[in-house]
Amino acid sequence: MTVTGSHPGFLSPSGIEIAFVLVGIATLGAALITVTTKQLVHAALWLIVTLGGLAVEYLLLTAEFIAWVQVLIYIGSVVVLLLFGLMLTRAPIGRSPDADSENRWAALAVAVAAAGTLVWVVVDAFRTTWIDLDGPAQGSTEATGAFLFRHWVLPFEALSVLLLAALVGAVVLSRKDREDKS
């Protein structure tokens, strides 16, 4: 028995689903380069690519507000702050021997375990939930913004204080080097 007008199924993806997977693969590749490169500035630039890929994924999920928050807050603020921190502390521009650790295999094991746990939790939580992506977008920008700033304002503010403390620490560290040389 066939039902007309039913969902085409898992094996016949739409163009948006194909784009989502391709952007996801590119974002994953950029994230891997971010954590494996030995040059700090290159890691920061690959982080921009990774966060930009996430913003594109949000756009493909019709979450425009979250995509712009991703661009403005993470790409526009966090990465710029990271680059300023690198400049203020006079981090090496080229390859840095200090950027490599002897605990690479332990870090890889922890990363794989954390990723496996995250995938298991998400799959288990949404095992029977199906979202109709062909229908209208769920929630408006107003509703999404109200939810974010009602329930998540404290983490946003805590992150801003943490980033400010990191910037002040970078300035203090760069000034100590100048005082020691004179």
Side-chain angles (χ1 to χ4, degrees):
M1 173 194 254
T2 60
V3 179
T4 55
S6 66
H7 185 25
F10 179 70
L11 295 177
S12 57
S14 68
I16 291 177
E17 292 167 341
I18 292 170
F20 187 86
V21 169
L22 292 177
V23 171
I25 290 170
T27 302
L28 180 63
L32 289 173
I33 293 172
T34 299
V35 299
T36 57
T37 186
K38 293 183 180 180
Q39 297 182 7
L40 295 176
V41 175
H42 288 182
L45 295 175
W46 280 107
L47 182 62
I48 292 172
V49 174
T50 302
L51 295 174
L54 287 176
V56 171
E57 296 283 40
Y58 288 133
L59 283 176
L60 290 172
L61 291 172
T62 65
E64 294 87 7
F65 179 73
I66 304 298
W68 281 113
V69 167
Q70 176 80 17
V71 169
L72 292 174
I73 292 177
Y74 288 104
I75 296 175
S77 301
V78 173
V79 175
V80 169
L81 184 63
L82 177 68
L83 290 174
F84 278 145
L86 288 173
M87 289 186 293
L88 286 172
T89 57
R90 297 189 196 117
I93 299 297
R95 288 189 175 265
S96 174
D98 297 337
D100 200 9
S101 173
E102 302 293 325
N103 301 327
R104 182 174 289 213
W105 292 109
L108 180 63
V110 169
V112 168
T117 302
L118 180 64
V119 167
W120 178 73
V121 166
V122 169
V123 167
D124 188 49
F126 296 105
R127 185 177 310 256
T128 60
T129 304
W130 294 97
I131 300 172
D132 183 21
L133 295 179
D134 295 330
Q138 299 292 321
S140 63
T141 302
E142 179 183 355
T144 305
F147 177 78
L148 278 176
F149 292 114
R150 182 177 303 123
H151 300 289
W152 293 98
V153 72
L154 186 60
F156 277 127
E157 292 302 319
L159 180 64
S160 66
V161 170
L162 179 68
L163 292 174
L164 179 63
L167 183 61
V168 169
V171 169
V172 168
L173 286 175
S174 69
R175 296 220 178 244
K176 279 186 178 180
D177 289 342
R178 289 182 189 168
E179 291 172 2
D180 292 342
K181 290 181 181 178
S182 48

